[in-house]
Amino acid sequence: ISGCETNPGYSFLTLGVSQPVGQTRKFVSDVSWRNAAVDARMPFRGNFTSSIYVGWTLLHSETSNPVNFPQGAVSGLQFRDVHSLPMLFGAEYYPIRLRADSVNSVRPYVGFLAGGYLIEQRTDLGLFTLIDDNWHAGFAPQLGFIATYKGVRMLLDARYNYAFPAGGGSYASSAYSYFGLNFGVAVGVY
């Protein structure tokens, strides 16, 4: 993992693990280790940062459950995927102020992000593939901490991602949700 720096803020490149919940868990139920993102933060007003978050999560499961259609049903080994591409804006609050002379520190934070999710739901069954993709409005509350050690910032956060139902497509009436645990690294101090 490497990090990038934006002056006077900072960016984290993160990797994570995700667990589908709610309606999403009915389609894909397995824990996913396929999660990467860029989380850019810019300080403003004391203990607050504004942020831009762009990520990618792949939730994947395999099943042999039949798929029912109005004309009948099909069965066989299915590969089910949900690709989630969140593009979110938000803010974080840090209850502990960073001292100017501090080289090593741990700062907890809470945050809230909102924006859009591009969701692609995909089912591969034999030679056939069913794909449904839509934009969904959504939000992501988060809780975590940033640790700084010798000028290297490390992030660990837990995030609940929720995408509201969207119009169009057979799966667009579904909401999508998953929990994520993310680890990130940035180099440099603002």
Side-chain angles (χ1 to χ4, degrees):
I1 301 174
S2 63
C4 56
E5 186 178 347
T6 58
N7 198 6
Y10 47 92
S11 298
F12 292 98
L13 293 181
T14 66
L15 296 176
V17 59
S18 299
Q19 172 66 54
V21 294
Q23 292 292 336
T24 308
R25 187 170 174 81
K26 292 179 181 177
F27 184 72
V28 288
S29 59
D30 296 344
V31 172
S32 174
W33 293 90
R34 300 173 215 174
N35 180 340
V38 173
D39 189 346
R41 298 184 182 187
M42 177 78 70
F44 77 97
R45 288 188 154 199
N47 290 0
F48 289 90
T49 57
S50 61
S51 61
I52 299 173
Y53 177 86
V54 177
W56 170 76
T57 299
L58 170 61
L59 304 170
H60 174 80
S61 283
E62 296 178 17
T63 184
S64 294
N65 295 338
V67 177
N68 296 311
F69 297 100
Q71 299 84 5
V74 295
S75 64
L77 181 60
Q78 300 169 43
F79 299 99
R80 294 180 173 185
D81 297 317
V82 172
H83 293 265
S84 173
L85 180 67
M87 291 177 246
L88 308 172
F89 301 93
E92 292 79 25
Y93 170 70
Y94 302 81
I96 299 173
R97 185 177 292 273
L98 182 64
R99 293 188 352 230
D101 63 345
S102 178
V103 176
N104 302 325
S105 66
V106 175
R107 297 179 69 199
Y109 67 88
V110 295
F112 187 82
L113 302 163
Y117 289 77
L118 178 58
I119 304 282
E120 178 185 274
Q121 183 167 320
R122 178 185 191 109
T123 304
D124 292 316
L125 175 63
L127 298 173
F128 300 98
T129 300
L130 303 170
I131 297 174
D132 189 20
D133 55 357
N134 283 289
W135 281 98
H136 298 254
F139 64 90
Q142 60 183 353
L143 176 67
F145 68 89
I146 294 176
T148 304
Y149 181 71
K150 295 185 179 181
V152 177
R153 291 177 190 259
M154 295 166 279
L155 169 139
L156 181 64
D157 79 0
R159 186 171 302 175
Y160 173 69
N161 289 274
Y162 184 86
F164 293 103
S170 57
Y171 297 108
S173 60
S174 297
Y176 292 88
S177 57
Y178 55 94
F179 282 105
L181 183 64
N182 305 297
F183 173 75
V185 175
V187 179
V189 185
Y190 63 87

